[in-house]
Amino acid sequence: MSSDDEIRSLVRQRAGRPEQVAEAAAGRRRPVGWGEQRLMIIAADHPARGAIGVRDRPDAMASRVDLLRRLRTALSRPGVHGVVGTADIVEDLLLMGELDDRLVIGSMNRGGLTGTVFELDDRFTGYDARTIAEMGFDGGKMLCRIDPGDPGTASTLESCGRAVTELARLKMMAMVEPLPVRRADGRAVLDADPDALIRAIGVGQALGASSAYTWLKLPVVEDMDRVLEATTLPVLLLGGDSGGEQTYNAWQKTLTNPGVRGLVVGRALLYPPDDDVAAAVDAAAAMVR
């Protein structure tokens, strides 16, 4: 059976024996000692927010078979520690047997769909803390976009704070992604001003009743050494979708800061400009090591 045939057989597994998902989660070998390592994590939660484009390819992530093939390649590379994903993707990877000894971070709020008027009212439509614990996963990730001009930000902050509290009570990582954003042509886009990111960090790291298990996921902007002085929490750098030499240089420079504990990158590595997933992942993992 070819790799693509194996992936397509997931439909039969899901239809005929859906209980295999829970069985695969219960049998997964969990990684140990990961909190003391620098981490390389693959992000794969973009389609759940309607974000399937990469650079000039508006439908790059449209094929689930192709995405899973790319994820399999990425997760097989040395130095890759795990994945961030929604239930549909994580459960496919479980059924494929790709998550032994890998961190699994469940993506929690995906309701702020790309390009919608309600994008900043980012509802928790994905994993919740209880399910993450019951499945034996390692933490939950939440997107916390902050736009002073959008009232949807308030409900997102409240929901993220509740999720951080619930994860902390269960002693699981809360991966918080505090992003300052603004509207441009009706879309929410990153405000890359360092001072805006510093303010967002102050808000994001204070969410919840405890920060003991909170990690931050941050973009690379100008003046990152000054930006990183805004927190004592572990930081993971996000990747965006650009890829290329400029992106790698920015990661490499910022990874030298002692507060940075690794990378969480999705589209830039899964869909690199030359389409060589293995080479892109290997180059990023080498920086983390």
Side-chain angles (χ1 to χ4, degrees):
M1 180 183 294
S2 71
S3 176
D4 282 3
D5 287 342
E6 179 186 358
I7 293 172
R8 290 189 174 93
S9 75
L10 290 169
V11 175
R12 293 192 294 274
Q13 288 178 268
R14 285 180 169 279
R17 287 199 60 197
E19 68 276 9
Q20 284 187 326
V21 170
E23 293 169 3
R28 180 178 73 96
R29 293 194 308 271
R30 297 184 67 173
V32 296
W34 55 265
E36 299 176 3
Q37 305 176 53
R38 284 160 62 91
L39 300 175
M40 174 73 220
I41 299 174
I42 304 298
D45 57 351
H46 308 87
R49 206 167 58 78
I52 62 172
V54 181
R55 293 182 301 279
D56 59 349
R57 299 172 57 188
D59 61 348
M61 303 183 79
S63 169
R64 182 53 54 90
V65 170
D66 180 57
L67 174 57
L68 290 172
R69 183 171 58 241
R70 292 168 184 268
L71 282 167
R72 168 176 273 172
T73 297
L75 288 167
S76 73
R77 305 308 299 172
V80 172
H81 295 91
V83 66
V84 174
T86 46
D88 55 327
I89 288 176
V90 168
E91 291 170 359
D92 278 348
L93 292 171
L94 279 170
L95 292 171
M96 292 163 60
E98 298 297 329
L99 296 181
D100 280 341
D101 304 312
R102 295 288 184 266
L103 282 170
V104 179
I105 309 297
S107 190
M108 303 178 77
N109 61 326
R110 298 279 85 188
L113 304 184
T114 300
T116 62
V117 295
F118 54 87
E119 185 168 351
L120 273 296
D121 186 358
D122 207 346
R123 305 295 178 93
F124 276 63
T125 57
Y127 278 113
D128 56 44
R130 178 179 174 181
T131 301
I132 290 168
E134 289 175 346
M135 294 290 281
F137 297 156
D138 305 287
K141 175 254 182 179
M142 64 206 76
L143 180 58
C144 185
R145 291 174 292 183
I146 300 169
D147 181 351
D150 194 313
T153 295
S155 60
T156 299
L157 288 170
E158 181 182 21
S159 298
C160 287
R162 188 180 305 115
V164 169
T165 297
E166 292 170 353
L167 289 165
R169 286 175 178 161
L170 294 165
K171 296 181 171 57
M172 294 187 301
M173 176 203 277
M175 184 188 292
V176 179
E177 185 177 354
L179 296 181
V181 299
R182 54 183 174 79
R183 288 281 181 174
D185 298 324
R187 300 177 70 87
V189 298
L190 175 68
D191 182 349
D193 178 66
D195 291 316
L197 182 54
I198 288 170
R199 290 192 293 271
I201 289 170
V203 174
Q205 67 189 348
L207 292 169
S210 173
S211 64
Y213 293 87
T214 301
W215 292 47
L216 299 180
K217 178 173 180 254
L218 301 177
V220 178
V221 300
E222 295 293 329
D223 207 4
M224 275 303 287
D225 284 338
R226 182 169 70 89
V227 168
L228 290 166
E229 288 182 5
T231 186
T232 54
L233 299 181
V235 170
L236 298 165
L237 305 178
L238 66 86
D241 69 353
S242 57
E245 184 177 354
Q246 184 175 359
T247 299
Y248 281 79
N249 289 341
W251 292 340
Q252 189 163 40
K253 179 181 177 182
T254 310
L255 280 163
T256 63
N257 188 292
V260 177
R261 303 296 299 168
L263 295 172
V264 182
V265 185
R267 292 169 293 180
L269 300 183
L270 294 172
Y271 299 86
D274 63 0
D275 226 27
D276 189 340
V277 176
V281 172
D282 288 350
M287 296 179 197
V288 173
R289 289 195 293 269

